[in-house]
């Protein structure tokens, strides 16, 4: 796996491109006029995308009919020397459709405990939690 980062303005805007030619824009969002996402926001996006792919894939294999899928991700950061890494990340999955709540909960559990490479990479130093909502109702364990 390889990405290429290219600076595309005179400040902090970078285009990151993968080997398939797909790209995202990263920027220093503490500066006025930033047009990309911050690198730390991209980490949260990666957690959402990785776990989201897992959850949808698992539920599709179980023939669950998802009509809408969203994830909201929040990260809490703490100062460590001059950096501010994530201390914790919480993911909220919002599913709509003919989805068995127990299957949705199990899919999220499997993602974070077994499949999601992004969360597994962060797991040694970041506490990662999640909640699952199906048709507006929280799923309890």
């Amino acid at each position: 796996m390889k990405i290429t980062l290219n600076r595309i303005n005179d400040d902090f805007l970078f285009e990151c491109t993968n080997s398939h030619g797909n790209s995202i824009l990263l920027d220093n969002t503490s500066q006025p006029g930033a047009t990309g996402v911050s690198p730390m926001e991209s980490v949260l996006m990666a957690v959402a995308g990785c776990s989201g792919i897992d959850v949808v894939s698992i539920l599709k294999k179980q023939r669950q009919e998802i009509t809408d899928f969203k994830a909201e991700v929040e990260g809490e950061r703490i100062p460590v020397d001059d950096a501010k890494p994530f201390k914790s990340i919480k993911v909220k999955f919002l599913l709509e459709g003919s989805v068995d709540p127990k299957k949705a909960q199990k899919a999220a559990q499997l993602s974070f405990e077994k499949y999601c490479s992004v969360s597994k990479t962060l797991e040694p130093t970041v506490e990662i939690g999640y909640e699952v909502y199906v048709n507006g109702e929280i799923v309890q364990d």
Side-chain angles (χ1 to χ4, degrees), residues 95-110:
L95 293 90
E96 298 286 334
S98 294
V99 178
D100 180 328
K102 290 181 182 177
K103 289 182 178 183
Q105 181 75 14
K106 183 65 174 176
Q109 178 186 357
L110 284 170

Side-chain angles (χ1 to χ4, degrees), residues 17-82:
T17 307
N18 69 6
S19 59
H20 300 289
N22 301 310
S23 63
I24 64 168
L25 296 177
L26 297 178
D27 208 342
N28 180 350
T29 58
S30 68
Q31 300 296 309
T35 57
V37 299
S38 77
M40 292 302 279
E41 289 168 332
S42 75
V43 171
L44 297 180
M45 291 176 179
V47 170
C50 184
S51 60
I53 288 169
D54 291 340
V55 170
V56 169
S57 176
I58 291 166
L59 293 175
K60 284 183 83 150
K61 287 177 185 172
Q62 297 174 340
R63 303 195 189 287
Q64 300 297 294
E65 294 184 34
I66 304 166
T67 58
D68 193 41
F69 181 93
K70 292 183 176 73
E72 297 173 358
V73 185
E74 292 187 42
E76 179 185 355
R77 297 171 68 183
I78 55 169
V80 175
D81 298 323
D82 291 331

